[in-house]
Amino acid sequence: MDYFARTRVRDIISGQKVDQEVIILGWARTKRLSKNVGFVEINDGSSLHNAHVVFSPPADFPELERIITGTSLRVVGKVVEVKGREQAYEVQASQLEIVGDCSPDYPLQKKRHTFEFLRDIAHLRPRTNTFGVINRFRSKLSHCIHQYYQDRGFYYIHTPIITTSDCEGAGDLFQVTTLPLQEIAARAQELDLDEDFFAEKAYLTVSGQLEGELMCTALGDIYTFGPTFRAEQSYTSRHLSEFWMMEPEMAFCDLDEMLILIEDFLKHLISFSLEECPEEMGFFNKWIDKGRQKVLQSIVEADFARVTYTEAVEILKKAGREFEFPVGWGNDLQSEHERFLAEEYFQKPVFVTDYPREIKAFYMRVNDDEKTVRAVDVLVPLVGEIVGGSQREERYDYLKENMIQQGLDIEQYSWFLDIRKYGTVPHSGFGLGFERMIMYLSGMSNIRDVIPFPRFPRSARF
RNA sequence: UCCCCGAUAGCUCAGCCGGUAGAGCAGGUGGCUGUUAACCACCGAGUCGCAGGUUCGAGUCCUGCUCGGGGAGCCA
C-alpha cells in the first residue's frame, strides 16, 4: 500500500496540502453522483470531517458504481481550494481504486442512529461520527492525564490487575480461577483452593490504591491509570463492570492539600478539552449537549464549592423539599441528595468532606472528633460522584483497630500495616473515574457510550 | 436484585374502539442537478421479540419469558 506515502484527511482539510497531489486511504461515507460531476466523501479516522473528493466526469471512473457507504478506497488527486462551499478544500481525483467492497447490508447509514442500536453493533460504531469523536477524545484526554502528572514529578505505577485482597472496601469482585468449574460441579465435588492457580482466592482488582499507597512511600508521588473491575449487578447509565480509573497517591500530603490538587487537576482537564480539542468539544456542544462548552467554561473560572458532610446534611435538611430517602447525620448521601447539592444548590462541582466513620472505608484517616474521617467526594452535575478519595490513616494503631472493627483479616493485610510501621507518613490519594470524566466533559448521558467496548452484567460481547 | 416503560421492514417510527401491514431513510433500477443528511420516479423487502391464553377474528386485549431503555441500590 501507500501507508507512508498517503496523506491523512486531517491534513488535507486543514489546507496544508493545497495544490499538491495526495494519496488518500480511507472509507466512503457518502456518495453523490450526477452526469457531469460526482462527489465521494472519504473518512480515514484522522478527523471528524471528511475529504470531499470530486470526480469529473464520473464516467471516467467506472469504479464509482461500486461505492456505497462503508467501501474502502484508495484515491489519488490534487488538493484545491474552493470558495462558497461548506468545505474549504477538495480533492480533484485522478485515480480511484476500490480496496474493499462493502456489502449492501452495511448497517451504518448516512443518518443518525440511536445509541441503543449502535451498542448492538459495537464493532462498527467506531466508524460513526460520534464514536470517532469519543474515541479520539479518550486518547487525547488519557495523554493529557499522563502529561499532567509527569510534569509534576509523579511516577506512573503499574499496579496489579490480579489481587488476593478480597475486601478493598469497594464492592463485589470477579474471582479469577483456573479450576475446572464445570467438571467439579458435574461431580458435585468441593473446590480445593490448593489446586487453584495461585493456591488461594484471587480476584480482578477493584482499585490499585493499596499498592499505590505503598509505592508512594518509596517514590513520593505516584499515579496509576488502568482498568478496574466491579462485579455489582449495576444497571445504570453511570456504572460499568470494567472501567478505567486514574488514582494518584501522594506522600506527605494531607486532605486540604489534596483538595487543591484535585481542583487544579479537574480544571486542567476541562481547560485542555476546551483549548486543545476544539473539534471534539464543538461536536459535543452541537450534537450531544448544547451549552456544554459554556458550562465548562464557567467551571474553570469559578472555585469549586466546599462543604463538610455535616454541613451538607444541614443544607439538605433546610432544602425545604421531600426527599425519598431521609436526610440524617450518619446516613450516606443518596443519589437524589448528591444531585440536589451539585445541580441545584451549588450548580457546580462540590467537595464534600469529612464523612461519618461508619459509612466509609477502613483506610481513611480518623479525625480528632473520632466520629468522622478525612474523606472527600467530588460531586458534579449530570454525572454525580466523579472523584472519591481520602487522607489515609497513617497511624498504625488506628488503622489496625479500624481493620478489626470492619472484620478484615489482619494477617492478609500485614504488608499494608507494615507501611505504617516503617517510617509512616501522612499521605492522601483519590480515584477519578475516567469514563465519568468523559461523560462530564462531553455531555454524553450513558457511560456505555464513552468506552469502546462496554462490559456490564450479561454483556461482554465484542 | 427492585420499580417503571418499550419491542412492527436493514434503520427511525406510525398503525385509533380488535377486522389481516404503512411512511421516511437505506438497498436496486432509471433520470436530473457543483452536489453536500442532494433531488425525482419506479422496484424488492415483514413468522408485528418468543410461548401460551381470550375471541369468529389479535400488531392491537391478558399471562409468562427474553431482550432493550429509564430510575433505585452499590460506587468511579
Side-chain angles (χ1 to χ4, degrees):
Chain A
M1 290 309 291
D2 294 300
Y3 178 77
F4 292 105
R6 61 87 186 268
T7 300
R8 287 207 165 90
V9 168
R10 179 184 61 210
D11 299 327
I12 291 169
I13 60 183
S14 68
Q16 294 179 30
K17 296 284 178 175
V18 67
D19 295 330
Q20 294 180 38
E21 188 175 84
V22 294
I23 300 170
I24 306 173
L25 304 174
W27 294 266
R29 280 293 181 82
T30 177
K31 174 181 82 170
R32 295 178 293 275
L33 287 189
S34 61
K35 191 163 285 176
N36 303 320
V37 67
F39 303 89
V40 177
E41 292 186 37
I42 301 181
N43 191 286
D44 67 356
S46 62
S47 169
L48 165 65
H49 303 291
N50 305 321
H52 288 69
V53 182
V54 186
F55 296 89
S56 181
D60 289 353
F61 303 89
E63 310 261 69
L64 277 173
E65 292 298 322
R66 283 161 59 195
I67 294 176
I68 63 171
T69 301
T71 306
S72 53
L73 307 169
R74 175 184 179 277
V75 167
V76 181
K78 187 180 170 190
V79 180
V80 295
E81 192 172 358
V82 290
K83 295 261 159 56
R85 308 265 159 71
E86 288 179 16
Q87 63 280 7
Y89 300 92
E90 292 177 346
V91 177
Q92 292 284 351
S94 54
Q95 293 177 39
L96 168 64
E97 181 188 328
I98 290 182
V99 177
D101 280 300
C102 184
S103 173
D105 60 4
Y106 189 55
L108 295 175
Q109 299 170 14
K110 300 185 287 188
K111 63 164 195 169
R112 291 193 79 170
H113 288 290
T114 61
F115 289 137
E116 292 80 10
F117 170 67
L118 292 174
R119 269 172 229 152
D120 289 336
I121 51 166
H123 58 311
L124 297 174
R125 71 176 186 172
R127 304 180 183 198
T128 63
N129 286 341
T130 299
F131 287 90
V133 166
I134 291 280
N135 288 321
R136 283 185 292 271
F137 186 54
R138 272 186 75 102
S139 175
K140 290 183 184 181
L141 201 69
S142 297
H143 182 73
C144 172
I145 286 172
H146 282 289
Q147 191 78 55
Y148 180 90
Y149 285 101
Q150 295 284 338
D151 286 351
R152 284 158 184 77
F154 285 64
Y155 296 102
Y156 176 35
I157 299 299
H158 301 112
T159 51
I161 303 281
I162 296 173
T163 174
T164 54
S165 305
D166 68 352
C167 186
E168 294 176 22
D172 301 330
L173 299 98
F174 289 101
Q175 192 169 350
V176 176
T177 180
T178 55
L179 291 173
L181 298 178
Q182 277 184 328
E183 283 177 35
I184 292 167
R187 294 183 201 150
Q189 287 176 319
E190 297 264 317
L191 287 179
D192 182 1
L193 276 177
D194 211 43
E195 295 285 308
D196 205 352
F197 193 89
F198 297 106
E200 63 179 311
K201 282 191 179 174
Y203 308 90
L204 296 180
T205 185
V206 294
S207 166
Q209 180 197 320
L210 301 191
E211 289 86 358
E213 281 193 48
L214 80 87
M215 293 305 285
C216 91
T217 64
L219 297 172
D221 295 308
I222 65 95
Y223 68 102
T224 74
F225 189 7
T228 307
F229 306 89
R230 303 280 165 89
E232 275 101 9
Q233 297 285 320
S234 296
Y235 293 93
T236 81
S237 53
R238 56 187 190 286
H239 288 87
L240 289 167
S241 308
E242 177 183 292
F243 62 98
W244 286 67
M245 188 155 66
M246 201 289 309
E247 300 175 283
E249 196 74 33
M250 294 80 68
F252 304 101
C253 180
D254 65 25
L255 187 78
D256 293 322
E257 291 165 326
M258 182 167 75
L259 297 191
I260 294 169
L261 179 81
I262 293 174
E263 183 162 347
D264 183 69
F265 172 52
L266 295 182
K267 284 182 173 174
H268 179 84
L269 295 185
I270 297 171
S271 300
F272 170 84
S273 304
L274 292 170
E275 289 158 22
E276 308 293 326
C277 309
E279 183 176 286
E280 287 81 4
M281 297 312 286
F283 181 87
F284 296 140
N285 199 55
K286 184 175 179 187
W287 296 105
I288 305 299
D289 183 6
K290 290 183 173 43
R292 196 77 212 145
Q293 265 176 314
K294 208 175 162 188
V295 169
L296 294 175
Q297 195 66 53
S298 71
I299 300 299
V300 176
E301 287 157 7
D303 290 336
F304 287 16
R306 296 191 186 195
V307 286
T308 63
Y309 166 87
T310 304
E311 289 163 351
V313 167
E314 287 307 309
I315 289 169
L316 290 164
K317 277 183 179 168
K318 290 178 191 157
R321 76 158 57 195
E322 282 290 307
F323 290 108
E324 191 187 338
F325 293 88
V327 178
W329 203 98
N331 300 339
D332 207 352
L333 298 179
Q334 305 293 318
S335 273
E336 55 173 345
H337 305 144
E338 295 182 345
R339 262 207 309 276
F340 174 81
L341 291 171
E343 292 174 7
E344 293 182 49
Y345 192 83
F346 291 110
Q347 297 187 4
K348 59 181 177 180
V350 51
F351 289 112
V352 182
T353 62
D354 301 290
Y355 283 79
R357 190 175 180 174
E358 285 73 25
I359 59 174
K360 286 294 182 181
F362 70 93
Y363 50 72
M364 296 185 177
R365 193 181 195 280
V366 179
N367 276 312
D368 290 345
D369 63 10
E370 302 274 329
K371 289 179 189 160
T372 57
V373 291
R374 299 246 73 190
V376 59
D377 282 355
V378 178
L379 311 177
V380 298
L382 181 74
V383 180
E385 186 179 341
I386 202 166
V387 162
S390 67
Q391 182 172 334
R392 319 305 191 186
E393 183 56 80
E394 85 283 10
R395 297 164 296 185
Y396 187 94
D397 294 338
Y398 272 90
L399 181 62
K400 190 171 178 182
E401 189 197 320
N402 280 348
M403 292 169 77
I404 291 168
Q405 269 183 13
Q406 297 197 14
L408 273 75
D409 182 356
I410 299 291
E411 199 56 33
Q412 196 180 17
Y413 288 92
S414 60
W415 59 271
F416 191 62
L417 276 162
D418 276 355
I419 299 169
R420 278 74 177 170
K421 197 169 153 189
Y422 305 118
T424 193
V425 291
H427 59 290
S428 299
F430 66 90
L432 170 80
F434 186 59
E435 283 74 21
R436 288 189 180 174
M437 191 66 201
I438 302 275
M439 288 174 78
Y440 184 62
L441 293 169
S442 66
M444 292 288 288
S445 56
N446 195 312
I447 200 166
R448 295 167 190 180
D449 298 328
V450 296
I451 188 168
F453 304 104
R455 269 87 181 97
F456 48 96
R458 309 185 68 85
S459 182
R461 278 194 77 202
F462 307 108

